[in-house]
């Protein structure tokens, strides 16, 4: 029997695999206490399907198998020849913490460039930015334990019933509690909620501002809390006053009474937890949406025993990536390259000099720099940008232009553009840790032999660094060596993991409530309100396309798509439409339609559902094997603070396909 963390969503369920390869939930794991959803059950069946077994290289059309020595030779030569600013690394929240730590050290400490970003940029960047602005640090303020005594749950822009199913089941177990869902689509989560507020996409900031306005007008502000533990209330209220319910209800397409209802539960419930995910984060207004919601918690004193704002992480180890600082501005232990003390500490810790003080470009900026010829080498690790980035037409041109290295366990769409492919081991074939949404760190045991010649990601970068003269910086012989070094870098930080050991996991870092004494790591020690500015993207096309996840598939389907059981009912690719909208266009359920934006077209089968009028929903993860990916239709507009792309609001046209239904 071996234990590990589920490699899919950020709930971070603990799993067990027995000698026969059967997977069950780990009854002793605090994230799930034995529960699990369907996705990981089929992991053993797909471990070896569609894998990359040897390094592959091509100069012309065809790939040829090469040795690791040859692959390292090619990489070392490229990296020595190119200026550090001409290279770029794009990594993943699905890697283990040890992998991420070594890659981050290789890029920021060894190559001396901050040209690195992770797919968390598409996922968590807005939540991280908002946490830092409001509380002075990243990190969710509470934990899953807080679900157990809460009586009110607000899900905003989160379809947790399918995207974080075990967490949602835990919420449902709180019988007699009130569940409110705010979403443009009547999702599984909305269907199982007591109240569904069908908001117009992109308008959450106006909605939450209006709730703050009502809280004030009704005398429901907790002024004792506000005065003692926060600052900036007046400025936030001034902004909120622009959105009285009669104004916000028009902007958001909701009833005034729905705004009052949310204000009332913030004022009167015993304990309120608000969960949110990509519906708030992936937006040009993403940071403001987060802040507007956090403002409501601060205004009503809903922290710790009275509630919590709780951002759900999308990926299994996005939290670990944040601890290691894998975005273009981060350093280990929730540090930042812009902070001279943080840089100095890590330079001394690593024994290097010259960490760059300026954050590198984000992944969407890097795509532009590739097209401008300024970045000439791109190394993608454990992610599939050819399907998951926005503005895919542009991304494809960039992937064709750059020298592309893909390091992955499975062959994916991005491999089609690669010059060099490196086979990586996956969870189960290597060991290391991951951190789930509530800061619980889990040790993942090895339970299978690495496929072919694949290697753990941390080892690939360690071996290359040694070939390039980095023996002193990369002395690691095992993932344990890496973890032992990393954890020391967090000592004394809010995410202090220095007391953890592989043997003692799972364990959570930080106290149950990160800000138990209501002292915050800001200059004044107080939490900060922020005026939440509302801005709508201007889009044309007739319909607003919203994207999201499939129930039994994970991201771009590279692993879950290989399971017949998990594919059932998920293909062919569909678009969810309001039947009234469909009727106006003469479209019937089951019919094929073309969604278009500019020169790009995507074909989908129509399903009817309760989607806000003039909105449509289509999942984002379909690889090219099933037709053009949805993200071909998404713009690469980003939030100005978090630089997270808006993957939830794209103006598209809809027309009946010339072809007949499948
Ligand atoms: Fe895995 Fe998430 Fe399902 Fe838990 S809820 S078993 S972490 S996919």
């Amino acid at each position: 029997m071996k234990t590990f963390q589920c490699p899919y969503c950020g709930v971070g369920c603990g799993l067990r695999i027995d000698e026969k390869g059967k997977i069950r939930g780990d009854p002793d794991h605090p994230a799930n206490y034995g529960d699990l959803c369907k996705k990981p059950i089929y992991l053993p069946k797909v471990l070896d399907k569609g894998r990359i077994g040897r390094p592959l290289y091509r100069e012309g059309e065809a790939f040829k198998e090469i040795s690791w020595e040859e692959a390292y030779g090619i990489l070392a030569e490229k990296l020595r020849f190119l200026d550090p600013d001409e290279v770029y690394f794009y990594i993943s929240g699905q890697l283990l913490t040890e992998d991420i730590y070594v890659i981050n050290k290789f890029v920021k400490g060894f190559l001396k460039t901050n040209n690195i970003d992770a797919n968390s940029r598409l996922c968590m960047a807005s939540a991280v930015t908002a946490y830092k602005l409001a509380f002075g640090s990243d990190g969710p303020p509470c934990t899953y334990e807080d679900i157990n005594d809460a009586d009110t749950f607000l899900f905003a822009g989160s379809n947790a019933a399918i995207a974080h199913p075990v967490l949602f089941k835990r919420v449902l177990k709180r019988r007699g509690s009130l569940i409110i869902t705010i979403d443009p689509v009547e999702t599984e989560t909305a269907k199982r909620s007591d109240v569904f507020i069908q908001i117009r996409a992109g308008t959450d900031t106006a909605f939450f501002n209006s709730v703050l306005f009502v809280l004030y007008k009704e005398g429901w502000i907790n002024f004792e809390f506000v005065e003692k533990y926060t600052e900036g209330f007046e400025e936030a209220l001034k902004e909120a006053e622009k959105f009285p319910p009669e104004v916000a209800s028009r902007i958001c397409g909701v009833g005034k009474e729905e705004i009052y209802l949310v204000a009332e539960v913030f004022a009167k419930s015993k304990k309120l937890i608000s969960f949110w995910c990509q519906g708030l984060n992936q937006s040009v207004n993403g940071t403001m949406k987060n802040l507007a919601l956090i403002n409501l918690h601060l205004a009503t004193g809903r922290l710790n025993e009275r509630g919590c704002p709780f951002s759900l992480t999308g990926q299994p180890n996005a939290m670990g990536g944040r601890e290691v600082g894998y975005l273009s501005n981060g350093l280990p232990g929730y540090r930042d390259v812009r902070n001279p003390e943080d840089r100095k500490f890590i330079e001394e810790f690593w024994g290097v000099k010259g960490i760059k003080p300026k954050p590198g470009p984000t992944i969407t900026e890097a795509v532009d720099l590739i097209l401008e010829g300024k970045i000439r080498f791109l190394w993608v690790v454990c992610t599939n940008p050819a399907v998951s980035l926005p503005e895919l037409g542009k991304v494809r041109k960039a992937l064709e232009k750059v020298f592309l290295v893909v390091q992955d366990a499975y062959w994916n769409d991005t491999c089609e553009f690669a010059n060099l492919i490196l086979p990586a081991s996956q969870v189960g074939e290597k060991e290391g840790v991951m951190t789930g949404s509530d800061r619980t760190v889990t040790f993942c045991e090895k339970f299978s032999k690495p496929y072919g010649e694949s290697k753990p990601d941390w080892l690939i970068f360690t071996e290359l660094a040694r070939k390039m003269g980095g023996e002193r910086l990369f002395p690691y012989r095992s993932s344990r060596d890496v973890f032992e070094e990393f954890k020391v870098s967090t000592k004394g930080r809010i995410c202090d993991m220095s007391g953890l050991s592989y043997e003692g996991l799972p364990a959570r870092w930080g106290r149950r409530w990160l800000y138990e004494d209501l002292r915050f790591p800001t200059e004044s020690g107080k939490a900060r309100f922020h005026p939440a500015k509302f801005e709508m993207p201007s889009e044309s096309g007739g319909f607003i396309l919203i994207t999201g996840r499939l129930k039994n598939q994970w991201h771009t389907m590279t692993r879950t798509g290989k399971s017949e059981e998990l594919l059932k009912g998920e293909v062919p690719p569909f678009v969810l439409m309001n039947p009234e909208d469909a009727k106006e266009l003469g479209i019937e359920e089951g019919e094929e339609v073309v969604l278009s934006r500019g020169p790009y077209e995507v074909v989908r089968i129509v399903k009817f559902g309760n989607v806000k009028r003039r909105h449509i929903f289509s999942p984002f993860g379909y690889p090219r094997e099933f037709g053009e990916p949805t993200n071909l239709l998404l713009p690469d507009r980003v939030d100005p603070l978090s630089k997270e792309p808006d993957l939830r609001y794209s103006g598209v046209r809809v027309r009946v396909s010339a072809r007949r239904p499948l």
Side-chain angles (χ1 to χ4, degrees):
M1 178 86 68
K2 302 280 184 183
T3 60
F4 64 109
Q5 188 191 301
C6 175
Y8 299 117
C9 86
V11 176
C13 295
L15 303 177
R16 286 181 173 181
I17 182 164
D18 66 18
E19 293 68 27
K20 291 185 183 146
K22 190 168 173 58
I23 288 193
R24 293 191 174 87
D26 181 348
D28 298 327
H29 197 285
N32 55 318
Y33 293 109
D35 200 1
L36 81 173
C37 73
K38 207 171 166 185
K39 285 189 279 287
I41 292 173
Y42 300 97
L43 181 63
K45 276 192 164 182
V46 298
L47 272 184
D48 288 352
K49 278 193 188 171
R51 295 291 301 272
I52 304 160
R54 291 200 67 187
L56 302 171
Y57 181 60
R58 66 175 167 193
E59 278 165 317
E61 278 297 298
F63 280 107
K64 62 170 190 208
E65 291 188 348
I66 58 169
S67 68
W68 274 107
E69 278 308 304
E70 287 170 297
Y72 289 143
I74 293 164
L75 289 164
E77 194 189 315
K78 288 271 171 207
L79 293 172
R80 278 200 193 102
F81 171 74
L82 291 166
D83 185 88
D85 287 338
E86 291 179 310
V87 305
Y88 198 86
F89 296 78
Y90 185 47
I91 68 172
S92 167
Q94 291 172 59
L95 292 164
L96 300 179
T97 297
E98 291 79 352
D99 299 322
I100 296 168
Y101 179 77
V102 172
I103 299 172
N104 206 29
K105 184 175 179 180
F106 180 86
V107 177
K108 289 175 182 150
F110 185 63
L111 296 182
K112 310 276 171 47
T113 173
N114 295 332
N115 280 12
I116 178 170
D117 213 12
N119 50 14
S120 288
R121 180 70 64 187
L122 314 181
C123 176
M124 300 311 310
S126 296
V128 172
T129 307
Y131 274 153
K132 284 184 181 170
L133 286 168
F135 300 120
S137 171
D138 187 14
C142 69
T143 69
Y144 297 149
E145 276 175 58
D146 287 282
I147 296 172
N148 302 344
D149 60 354
D151 65 340
T152 306
F153 300 93
L154 178 73
F155 287 89
S158 153
N159 186 5
I162 69 157
H164 299 93
V166 167
L167 174 131
F168 192 66
K169 280 195 266 175
R170 192 160 170 172
V171 167
L172 289 179
K173 279 189 196 141
R174 288 284 304 145
R175 297 206 183 281
S177 64
L178 178 73
I179 305 176
I180 301 174
T181 292
I182 305 176
D183 205 290
V185 184
E186 192 183 15
T187 58
E188 283 300 304
T189 310
K191 284 180 189 151
R192 307 194 69 172
S193 298
D194 303 288
V195 178
F196 169 43
I197 300 175
Q198 194 164 33
I199 195 167
R200 190 169 285 142
T203 64
D204 311 73
T205 304
F207 185 93
F208 296 135
N209 268 332
S210 192
V211 173
L212 183 59
F213 174 91
V214 173
L215 285 170
Y216 181 71
K217 285 286 168 203
E218 294 293 326
W220 287 335
I221 302 288
N222 182 343
F223 278 111
E224 195 189 330
F225 183 93
V226 167
E227 275 156 31
K228 222 163 154 187
Y229 303 114
T230 74
E231 59 192 5
F233 174 71
E234 295 299 329
E235 291 87 340
L237 180 64
K238 209 167 153 202
E239 191 61 32
E241 280 173 340
K242 295 177 186 164
F243 301 92
E246 56 278 15
V247 173
S249 63
R250 278 200 303 277
I251 295 171
C252 305
V254 302
K256 282 184 279 188
E257 67 289 351
E258 293 173 309
I259 296 169
Y260 273 98
L261 173 83
V262 174
E264 193 167 358
V265 297
F266 263 96
K268 297 182 180 171
S269 53
K270 180 168 78 76
K271 176 168 183 172
L272 183 150
I273 302 185
S274 49
F275 290 110
W276 72 95
C277 203
Q278 313 312 359
L280 299 198
N281 294 338
Q282 293 176 332
S283 165
V284 279
N285 203 222
T287 305
M288 290 298 154
K289 288 180 181 181
N290 276 257
L291 288 170
L293 179 54
I294 293 171
N295 281 349
L296 302 180
H297 281 267
L298 297 180
T300 51
R302 296 214 165 269
L303 280 180
N304 302 348
E305 69 277 355
R306 300 200 62 235
C308 184
F310 199 155
S311 135
L312 294 170
T313 47
Q315 301 193 82
N317 197 29
M319 288 288 290
R322 284 150 71 171
E323 291 150 10
V324 173
Y326 66 172
L327 295 184
S328 56
N329 62 298
L331 287 172
Y334 279 2
R335 292 183 174 87
D336 197 299
V337 297
R338 288 165 290 199
N339 181 323
E341 279 173 30
D342 288 355
R343 266 198 327 276
K344 186 164 174 280
F345 177 88
I346 292 295
E347 282 177 352
E348 282 171 9
F349 185 75
W350 282 345
V352 300
K353 283 202 170 90
I355 293 176
K356 294 278 183 312
K358 192 174 160 223
T362 64
I363 183 60
T364 48
E365 290 167 344
V367 168
D368 289 328
L369 290 169
I370 291 170
L371 292 173
E372 287 167 26
K374 292 182 179 150
I375 289 175
R376 298 163 64 196
F377 172 101
L378 172 65
W379 190 336
V380 174
V381 186
C382 193
T383 186
N384 191 5
V387 177
S388 56
L389 282 179
E391 204 70 80
L392 279 185
K394 191 159 113 178
V395 171
R396 285 174 186 166
K397 284 187 196 139
L399 294 178
E400 273 162 12
K401 184 169 179 171
V402 78
F403 184 91
L404 179 64
V405 184
V406 175
Q407 179 170 318
D408 212 291
Y410 293 89
W411 186 273
N412 63 34
D413 289 55
T414 307
C415 294
E416 305 289 342
F417 298 87
N419 301 84
L420 176 64
I421 298 177
L422 305 174
S425 306
Q426 61 174 319
V427 166
E429 299 170 345
K430 57 181 177 180
E431 58 180 32
V433 305
M434 293 205 256
T435 309
S437 277
D438 85 334
R439 302 183 258 117
T440 298
V441 184
T442 302
F443 178 59
C444 301
E445 286 186 281
K446 189 172 163 181
F447 57 80
S448 180
K449 275 201 313 247
Y451 182 84
E453 293 180 16
S454 70
K455 298 184 188 219
D457 298 85
W458 68 265
L459 184 61
I460 296 171
F461 277 85
T462 295
E463 289 181 344
L464 174 63
R466 288 203 195 125
K467 294 243 171 304
M468 294 176 70
E471 295 87 349
R472 182 182 61 80
L473 290 183
F474 297 87
Y476 320 116
R477 301 281 155 201
S478 64
S479 62
R480 183 187 292 270
D481 290 348
V482 181
F483 182 72
E484 290 300 313
E485 178 179 311
F486 162 62
K487 74 180 197 188
V488 178
S489 76
T490 65
K491 193 169 171 52
R493 304 291 292 173
I494 200 166
C495 59
D496 191 338
M497 296 161 73
S498 60
L500 302 186
S501 67
Y502 276 0
E503 286 70 26
L505 300 179
R508 195 169 55 215
W509 59 256
R511 293 173 289 190
R512 172 180 168 188
W513 295 321
L514 214 45
Y515 310 113
E516 206 161 270
D517 49 7
L518 296 172
R519 291 277 307 162
F520 299 89
T522 57
E523 244 167 61
S524 63
K526 293 182 169 188
R528 291 184 294 228
F529 281 92
H530 287 269
K533 307 270 182 203
F534 171 62
E535 196 188 322
M536 276 292 283
S538 68
E539 279 288 301
S540 58
F543 283 86
I544 296 303
L545 169 65
I546 309 166
T547 65
R549 284 201 182 146
L550 284 164
K551 183 172 183 179
N552 291 323
Q553 287 296 315
W554 176 253
H555 281 191
T556 61
M557 303 166 86
T558 45
R559 183 164 45 201
T560 47
K562 295 186 172 57
S563 156
E564 281 166 29
E565 295 86 348
L566 294 176
L567 258 189
K568 221 176 276 170
E570 307 279 54
V571 287
F574 69 89
V575 62
L576 206 62
M577 278 191 94
N578 186 301
E580 295 299 315
D581 286 334
K583 199 170 154 195
E584 279 177 15
L585 295 177
I587 295 169
E588 289 172 22
E589 189 160 33
E591 203 162 8
E592 211 175 60
V593 292
V594 179
L595 316 179
S596 64
R597 183 172 192 275
Y600 302 115
E601 296 191 339
V602 167
V603 176
R604 295 287 181 261
I605 299 293
V606 171
K607 282 188 188 175
F608 285 170
N610 184 6
V611 190
K612 189 100 179 151
R613 293 293 307 269
R614 310 308 285 177
H615 290 56
I616 51 175
F617 169 88
S618 190
F620 79 91
Y622 300 115
R624 241 175 156 176
E625 165 190 358
F626 298 111
E628 287 289 20
T630 308
N631 285 20
L632 199 59
L633 304 176
L634 303 183
D636 57 1
R637 234 179 1 231
V638 300
D639 176 277
L641 297 173
S642 67
K643 308 271 183 85
E644 179 158 346
D646 192 330
L647 305 175
R648 303 274 162 161
Y649 196 99
S650 175
V652 297
R653 296 186 188 285
V654 180
R655 68 167 201 275
V656 183
S657 166
R659 293 188 292 168
R660 295 310 303 163
L662 296 171

